[in-house]
Amino acid sequence: MDRTIIITGAGSGIGRATATAFLEAGWQVGLIGRRQETLAETADGDERALILPCDVGEAESVESAFATASGKWGRLDALFNNAGIGSPSRPIDETDVGIWLDVVRINLTGSFLCARAAFAWMRAQQPQGGRIINNGSISAHAPRPGSTPYTSTKHAITGLTKSLSLDGRPFDIVCGQIDIGNALTDMALPMTKGVPQPDGSMRAEATMDVGHVASSVLHMAQMPLDANVQFMTVMAPKMPFIGRG
């Protein structure tokens, strides 16, 4: 049987590009997202794509989606915990509490719930094991101005990655993280026009093709379970991250 992966946030951007790469590589791919129509666009009629409408921030919705995939496949080889949202660039005292709660619900709670479901499935299957790949961010290392909700969740994703890496050892469940910088998606389009910088200026930033993210995640997922990419950073090399200013 083809190898299997569930990808969250598969209706657009990094999720869609990654799902397409895995389908082209012959994997069975579960597509998780809130909108059936965008997931269908990602699937593009491929019979190996399994559309799983789901709100990753709702425990019952996640359990239902994973149960559907389990009934279809029987085995799960990988999860790409990709779903996430950003927030308006504002200092903390101007950040609406509702926005904070939304970002935490999708970026952090959603990743926890999907990892929890995948971990339980991988632990119970025979032979045991599988791989969880979390989508971190350059913001898991260095924040942008006015990004308290997003940056906080991405730092927390690193903690989730490390915890899963330890907890998975007895069951051959490995976990790695890909930290992405300025992949050109709709979410990153403002980077090409001008975004706030630490010195108070607004400047455009370099971007990279999202396909480089997809191929990197595929590389991580294809490794045998006795090897792991613990952390990978894939970024536009001219974006402001390395160095000062």
Side-chain angles (χ1 to χ4, degrees):
M1 181 179 177
D2 294 335
R3 298 181 74 184
T4 60
I5 184 169
I6 289 176
I7 297 174
T8 69
S12 63
I14 290 170
R16 174 173 288 181
T18 305
T20 299
F22 275 82
L23 288 168
E24 290 175 350
W27 288 58
Q28 301 275 347
V29 181
L31 308 174
I32 280 184
R34 281 185 280 191
R35 296 173 56 198
Q36 170 113 13
E37 58 271 25
T38 59
L39 296 177
E41 290 172 2
T42 299
D44 195 28
D46 194 315
E47 62 182 15
R48 289 165 302 171
L50 179 61
I51 295 175
L52 300 167
C54 172
D55 181 345
V56 296
E58 295 291 338
E60 290 184 2
S61 184
V62 170
E63 292 296 331
S64 177
F66 275 76
T68 298
S70 178
K72 177 78 171 179
W73 297 334
R75 181 172 184 84
L76 181 64
D77 293 301
L79 164 69
F80 181 33
N81 242 339
N82 166 70
I85 59 174
S87 56
S89 179
R90 293 172 184 163
I92 189 169
D93 60 324
E94 297 177 15
T95 298
D96 186 83
V97 173
I99 289 175
W100 165 268
L101 293 173
D102 284 344
V103 174
V104 170
R105 189 179 79 87
I106 298 300
N107 295 10
L108 183 54
T109 301
S111 293
F112 164 81
L113 291 173
C114 291
R116 182 176 184 270
F119 194 103
W121 184 352
M122 293 170 179
R123 181 178 177 179
Q125 64 193 4
Q126 292 298 326
Q128 285 181 323
R131 187 181 308 274
I132 297 170
I133 301 170
N134 291 326
N135 184 346
S137 172
I138 294 297
S139 291
H141 304 274
R144 293 184 179 279
S147 65
T148 300
Y150 184 79
T151 294
S152 297
T153 59
K154 291 305 182 178
H155 274 65
I157 290 296
T158 300
L160 177 65
T161 298
K162 292 179 179 180
S163 294
L164 291 172
S165 296
L166 287 176
D167 291 351
R169 285 179 178 177
F171 315 111
D172 287 330
I173 299 170
V174 299
C175 184
Q177 180 170 316
I178 183 165
D179 294 321
I180 302 162
N182 289 12
L184 188 53
T185 63
D186 288 344
M187 185 175 176
L189 195 59
M191 306 292 177
T192 65
K193 300 177 180 178
V195 289
Q197 304 296 316
D199 63 3
S201 66
M202 292 282 290
R203 291 199 299 273
E205 295 186 5
T207 59
M208 66 174 178
D209 191 302
V210 70
H212 299 307
V213 177
S215 62
S216 298
V217 176
L218 181 60
H219 167 70
M220 295 171 75
Q222 287 178 327
M223 299 188 78
L225 293 180
D226 62 356
N228 187 38
V229 176
Q230 187 66 64
F231 292 98
M232 176 188 288
T233 300
V234 180
M235 57 176 273
K238 294 182 181 180
M239 68 174 289
F241 173 50
I242 302 298
R244 298 177 181 266

